[in-house]
């Protein structure tokens, strides 16, 4: 789990094939020690009909720290699908597994505000969850306020993701990526030139790509990144979100080493087959699951996101916001009212 893969379901276990080079967090991203992100581990319980017993497993997602009084993080709602509930509190069983500061590892969940998975499956722009923990952070630990502005041309994507044949990374990985609109056409992710090489293969994935319109009621609520190089060719060696990156932040520099968050990673589109006519399949021995060609983030300045934030703040969440041009003291301030407005 940890990433809605295409628009039909979740990432699952993939066949183990050798990488030409080891994948890093955020699949070829660069390690970053100080960033307002954490890795979450969720417990899931499944009834095994044949053995007549409960099976317990775990999934990993990333999250962004948006407030520290108390500690509040945003992640993807699909990470909580079929999550185990604590018998005493009724809350999801989740823990902070990795972070830039050991203090995070002591945090215990106090509130969880998120839509049920059936709602997320019906409309992917609802793939957003707010988790509130039982501690406050010192001012020395950075948070990423929600940026209430149009996203910049490029952002820093971060996450604890890993390739299909790799183990979970110890460090957060980040990569600068050019941002596209969720309404961009298939050619912005897989250029038309590939259609001439294998028209049937191209058409197959174009249909898959366009099918997301049926489960996203507002495409303008999505941010997107592709895997094209400066020559406009698909390059599987370029960083892209992958397994475990769900909930990871799309960060924008707001000055003096601080970041605001404009979105969180939600789902990806990948090739599930290869074409001998497309050269990049012959140039990489990576598992097919790692051939992501489009990744999508949920915009945090949308009406749907603000409605969730307002509900979460009424339950004690500290979701800080920021606009370009605000005075410096506004960077870490929550709005005066409990309602986030434009």
């Amino acid at each position: 789990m940890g990433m809605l893969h295409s628009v039909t379901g979740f990432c699952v276990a993939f066949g183990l094939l050798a990488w030409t080079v080891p994948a890093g967090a955020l699949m070829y991203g660069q390690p970053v020690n100080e960033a307002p992100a954490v890795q979450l581990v969720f417990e899931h319980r499944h009834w095994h009909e044949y053995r007549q017993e409960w099976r317990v497993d775990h999934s990993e997602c990333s999250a962004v720290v948006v407030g520290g009084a108390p500690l509040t993080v945003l992640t993807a709602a699909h990470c909580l699908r079929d999550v185990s509930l604590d018998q005493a509190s009724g809350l999801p069983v989740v823990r902070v597994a990795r972070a830039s500061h050991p203090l995070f590892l002591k945090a215990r969940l106090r509130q969880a505000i998120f839509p049920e998975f059936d709602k997320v499956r019906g409309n992917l722009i609802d793939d957003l969850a707010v988790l509130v923990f039982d501690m406050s952070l010192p001012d020395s630990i950075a948070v990423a306020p929600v940026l209430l502005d149009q996203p910049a041309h490029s952002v820093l994507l971060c996450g604890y993701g890993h390739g299909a044949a790799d183990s979970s990374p110890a460090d957060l990985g980040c990569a600068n990526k050019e941002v596209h609109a969720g309404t961009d056409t298939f050619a912005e992710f897989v250029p038309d030139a590939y259609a001439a090489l294998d028209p049937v293969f191209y058409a197959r994935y174009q249909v898959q790509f366009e099918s997301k319109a049926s489960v996203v009621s507002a495409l303008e609520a999505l941010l997107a990144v592709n895997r094209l190089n400066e020559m406009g060719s698909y390059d599987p060696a370029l960083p892209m979100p992958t397994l475990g990156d769900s909930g990871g932040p799309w960060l924008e520099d707001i000055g003096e080493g601080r970041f605001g968050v404009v979105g969180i990673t939600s789902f990806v589109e990948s090739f599930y087959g290869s074409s001998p006519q497309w050269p990049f399949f012959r140039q990489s021995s990576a598992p097919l699951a790692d051939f992501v060609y489009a990744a999508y983030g949920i915009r945090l300045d949308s009406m749907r996101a603000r409605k969730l934030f307002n509900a979460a703040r009424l339950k004690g969440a500290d979701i800080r916001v920021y606009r370009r041009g605000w005075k410096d003291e506004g960077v870490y301030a929550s709005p005066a009212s409990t309602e986030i407005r434009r």
Side-chain angles (χ1 to χ4, degrees):
M1 203 155 83
M3 173 79 71
L4 277 173
H5 212 67
S6 181
V7 294
T8 57
F10 289 96
C11 281
V12 294
F14 302 108
L16 298 182
L17 298 176
W19 280 92
T20 51
V21 294
L26 195 74
M27 204 188 307
Y28 300 127
Q30 296 299 311
V32 173
N33 294 324
E34 298 294 331
V38 298
Q39 184 190 56
L40 302 175
V41 173
F42 296 86
E43 180 185 287
H44 307 272
R45 300 179 75 234
H46 306 278
W47 178 250
H48 193 281
E49 189 67 32
Y50 178 74
R51 294 182 177 274
Q52 291 291 294
E53 65 182 15
W54 287 99
R55 292 289 184 87
V56 177
D57 57 25
H58 298 83
S59 66
E60 301 162 351
C61 281
S62 302
V64 56
V65 181
V66 294
L71 169 61
T72 302
V73 307
L74 306 181
T75 191
H78 75 256
C79 296
L80 290 101
R81 183 191 185 188
D82 298 328
V83 68
S84 299
L85 300 180
D86 181 82
Q87 291 185 351
S89 66
L91 292 171
V93 178
V94 57
R95 63 183 175 86
V96 178
R98 291 186 173 90
S100 61
H101 194 285
L103 180 64
F104 286 99
L105 306 184
K106 301 178 181 179
R108 297 294 178 265
L109 189 66
R110 192 171 79 183
Q111 290 283 351
I113 304 93
F114 61 97
E116 294 298 326
F117 180 71
D118 284 347
K119 183 179 181 182
V120 174
R121 184 166 51 191
N123 190 350
L124 293 176
I125 65 172
D126 289 315
D127 191 21
L128 183 63
V130 181
L131 304 180
V132 184
F133 293 86
D134 64 350
M135 68 164 51
S136 293
L137 299 178
D139 292 339
S140 59
I141 297 181
V143 304
V146 173
L147 191 59
L148 300 178
D149 290 299
Q150 183 75 17
H153 179 68
S154 64
V155 296
L156 185 70
L157 270 63
C158 293
Y160 285 90
H162 54 90
D166 298 305
S167 58
S168 181
D171 298 315
L172 180 73
C174 299
N176 283 298
K177 300 289 292 186
E178 181 179 336
V179 176
H180 295 263
T183 53
D184 280 0
T185 65
F186 185 60
E188 295 294 328
F189 301 90
V190 185
D192 292 335
Y194 288 107
L197 299 177
D198 191 335
V200 174
F201 191 82
Y202 189 89
R204 170 187 172 186
Y205 286 100
Q206 184 172 9
V207 170
Q208 171 187 292
F209 175 88
E210 293 173 350
S211 70
K212 71 176 176 294
S214 65
V215 287
V216 182
S217 65
L219 290 175
E220 65 271 14
L222 297 179
L223 303 172
V225 294
N226 64 27
R227 213 174 196 176
L228 304 185
N229 59 25
E230 295 179 354
M231 304 298 292
S233 298
Y234 179 89
D235 186 347
L238 293 178
M240 279 291 273
T242 184
L243 185 68
D245 282 318
S246 287
W250 296 37
L251 300 171
E252 187 172 323
D253 190 345
I254 56 177
E256 299 181 2
R258 298 168 301 194
F259 292 100
V261 58
V262 299
I264 63 156
T265 299
S266 175
F267 66 100
V268 302
E269 301 270 13
S270 294
F271 297 111
Y272 294 102
S274 62
S275 170
Q277 284 75 41
W278 290 14
F280 57 79
F281 286 114
R282 301 191 301 270
Q283 295 166 358
S284 172
S285 60
L288 275 175
D290 292 333
F291 281 88
V292 176
Y293 60 81
Y296 290 90
I298 308 298
R299 285 185 63 150
L300 301 183
D301 62 345
S302 70
M303 267 307 223
R304 300 288 276 267
R306 296 204 308 275
K307 183 178 179 180
L308 180 70
F309 297 161
N310 291 334
R313 295 190 70 212
L314 290 173
K315 294 187 176 183
D318 178 18
I319 301 175
R320 308 185 191 185
V321 297
Y322 180 73
R323 281 190 187 276
R324 298 187 194 96
W326 276 5
K327 293 182 179 180
D328 184 67
E329 59 266 26
V331 172
Y332 297 118
S334 295
S337 71
T338 59
E339 196 172 356
I340 300 175
R341 303 180 183 272
R342 280 195 177 275

